[in-house]
Amino acid sequence: MPTRVQGQPVEHYPALSPEARRGSVRRVTEVGEEVLHRPCRPVTEFGTPELAALIDDMFLTMYVADGAGLAANQVGVDLRLFVYDCPDEQGVRHVGHLVNPVLDPPDPATRSLLEDGEGCLSVPGARMTLPRAEHTVARGQDMDGKPLVIEATGYFARCLQHETDHLHGGTYLDRLSQRDRKAALRQMTDRREEVYARRTRNTERLTGEGE
Ligand code: NI
């Protein structure tokens, strides 16, 4: 099954993306930190070394945390972009970054919701079930400003919706009932240390360094 990189099929792709090999691990922000709870600013400068380095760091940080997606405010940067490495409904792996993403409004003809488990690197250790559109289209740009249209199904569609929520200053906790939100925060309290220990081990494995 070909992998899709920036929406384009490629025959072979390494498990660890080239961005991650260049990147450094950044600290992942946690729910409650201000940068996660306000809208991010649009990216207006493209093709800069700073933007490329941010994307490299976000990839490595996502892999260290065993994530399928990561938004910039999850590394403390309030810019509208995210990275992803996530399978779709058919098991196709999608890898890339998307700047200034906007989701198409749901098509009433094909709108259907899928209940599935979802977690967030900024709510370490929690996992809850919630409905998401099973198909979505995200429009935005790449780091050089080139327009991109990314179509997604299944878990990848969930990922694009989750990451776009982050850029609006939301987390998936905001989509849960009060009772489920409390349950998620309890899971985080119980499992947080274990999750951070795993991230430290992953950092050593992926970079040969401790934190
Ligand atoms: Ni998240």
PDB file of all heavy atoms in Angstrom, residues 74 119-122 162-163 166, ligand 1:
ATOM      1  N   GLN A  74       1.034  22.836  20.586  1.00  0.00           N
ATOM      2  CA  GLN A  74       1.427  21.749  21.494  1.00  0.00           C
ATOM      3  C   GLN A  74       2.935  21.732  21.755  1.00  0.00           C
ATOM      4  O   GLN A  74       3.402  20.969  22.604  1.00  0.00           O
ATOM      5  CB  GLN A  74       0.981  20.400  20.936  1.00  0.00           C
ATOM      6  CG  GLN A  74      -0.538  20.249  20.923  1.00  0.00           C
ATOM      7  CD  GLN A  74      -0.921  18.849  20.523  1.00  0.00           C
ATOM      8  OE1 GLN A  74      -1.017  18.552  19.342  1.00  0.00           O
ATOM      9  NE2 GLN A  74      -1.097  17.981  21.512  1.00  0.00           N
ATOM     10  N   GLY A 119      -7.094  10.199  21.791  1.00  0.00           N
ATOM     11  CA  GLY A 119      -6.264  10.731  22.863  1.00  0.00           C
ATOM     12  C   GLY A 119      -5.566  11.980  22.362  1.00  0.00           C
ATOM     13  O   GLY A 119      -5.740  12.378  21.211  1.00  0.00           O
ATOM     14  N   CYS A 120      -4.771  12.604  23.235  1.00  0.00           N
ATOM     15  CA  CYS A 120      -4.085  13.835  22.874  1.00  0.00           C
ATOM     16  C   CYS A 120      -2.773  13.886  23.637  1.00  0.00           C
ATOM     17  O   CYS A 120      -2.744  13.600  24.835  1.00  0.00           O
ATOM     18  CB  CYS A 120      -4.964  15.028  23.243  1.00  0.00           C
ATOM     19  SG  CYS A 120      -4.189  16.608  22.877  1.00  0.00           S
ATOM     20  N   LEU A 121      -1.692  14.254  22.944  1.00  0.00           N
ATOM     21  CA  LEU A 121      -0.381  14.292  23.596  1.00  0.00           C
ATOM     22  C   LEU A 121      -0.345  15.341  24.707  1.00  0.00           C
ATOM     23  O   LEU A 121       0.499  15.254  25.599  1.00  0.00           O
ATOM     24  CB  LEU A 121       0.714  14.581  22.557  1.00  0.00           C
ATOM     25  CG  LEU A 121       0.779  13.572  21.399  1.00  0.00           C
ATOM     26  CD1 LEU A 121       1.970  13.874  20.512  1.00  0.00           C
ATOM     27  CD2 LEU A 121       0.815  12.140  21.906  1.00  0.00           C
ATOM     28  N   SER A 122      -1.280  16.304  24.669  1.00  0.00           N
ATOM     29  CA  SER A 122      -1.340  17.331  25.706  1.00  0.00           C
ATOM     30  C   SER A 122      -2.256  16.939  26.867  1.00  0.00           C
ATOM     31  O   SER A 122      -2.427  17.719  27.808  1.00  0.00           O
ATOM     32  CB  SER A 122      -1.810  18.657  25.092  1.00  0.00           C
ATOM     33  OG  SER A 122      -0.851  19.104  24.151  1.00  0.00           O
ATOM     34  N   HIS A 162      -9.084  16.771  14.898  1.00  0.00           N
ATOM     35  CA  HIS A 162      -8.492  16.980  16.227  1.00  0.00           C
ATOM     36  C   HIS A 162      -7.428  18.095  16.174  1.00  0.00           C
ATOM     37  O   HIS A 162      -7.416  18.995  17.021  1.00  0.00           O
ATOM     38  CB  HIS A 162      -7.880  15.648  16.688  1.00  0.00           C
ATOM     39  CG  HIS A 162      -7.198  15.696  18.010  1.00  0.00           C
ATOM     40  ND1 HIS A 162      -7.662  15.018  19.114  1.00  0.00           N
ATOM     41  CD2 HIS A 162      -6.061  16.318  18.413  1.00  0.00           C
ATOM     42  CE1 HIS A 162      -6.852  15.243  20.133  1.00  0.00           C
ATOM     43  NE2 HIS A 162      -5.863  16.015  19.737  1.00  0.00           N
ATOM     44  N   GLU A 163      -6.547  18.031  15.170  1.00  0.00           N
ATOM     45  CA  GLU A 163      -5.461  19.023  15.090  1.00  0.00           C
ATOM     46  C   GLU A 163      -6.014  20.406  14.739  1.00  0.00           C
ATOM     47  O   GLU A 163      -5.511  21.420  15.242  1.00  0.00           O
ATOM     48  CB  GLU A 163      -4.406  18.588  14.065  1.00  0.00           C
ATOM     49  CG  GLU A 163      -3.744  17.242  14.334  1.00  0.00           C
ATOM     50  CD  GLU A 163      -3.276  17.039  15.761  1.00  0.00           C
ATOM     51  OE1 GLU A 163      -2.900  18.023  16.437  1.00  0.00           O
ATOM     52  OE2 GLU A 163      -3.319  15.885  16.230  1.00  0.00           O
ATOM     53  N   HIS A 166      -7.200  22.087  17.789  1.00  0.00           N
ATOM     54  CA  HIS A 166      -6.098  22.687  18.560  1.00  0.00           C
ATOM     55  C   HIS A 166      -5.805  24.106  18.084  1.00  0.00           C
ATOM     56  O   HIS A 166      -5.593  25.016  18.888  1.00  0.00           O
ATOM     57  CB  HIS A 166      -4.815  21.866  18.397  1.00  0.00           C
ATOM     58  CG  HIS A 166      -4.680  20.729  19.365  1.00  0.00           C
ATOM     59  ND1 HIS A 166      -4.708  20.907  20.724  1.00  0.00           N
ATOM     60  CD2 HIS A 166      -4.497  19.397  19.162  1.00  0.00           C
ATOM     61  CE1 HIS A 166      -4.552  19.718  21.325  1.00  0.00           C
ATOM     62  NE2 HIS A 166      -4.432  18.790  20.392  1.00  0.00           N
TER      63      HIS A 166
HETATM   64 NI    NI B   1      -4.160  16.752  20.630  1.00  0.00          NI
END
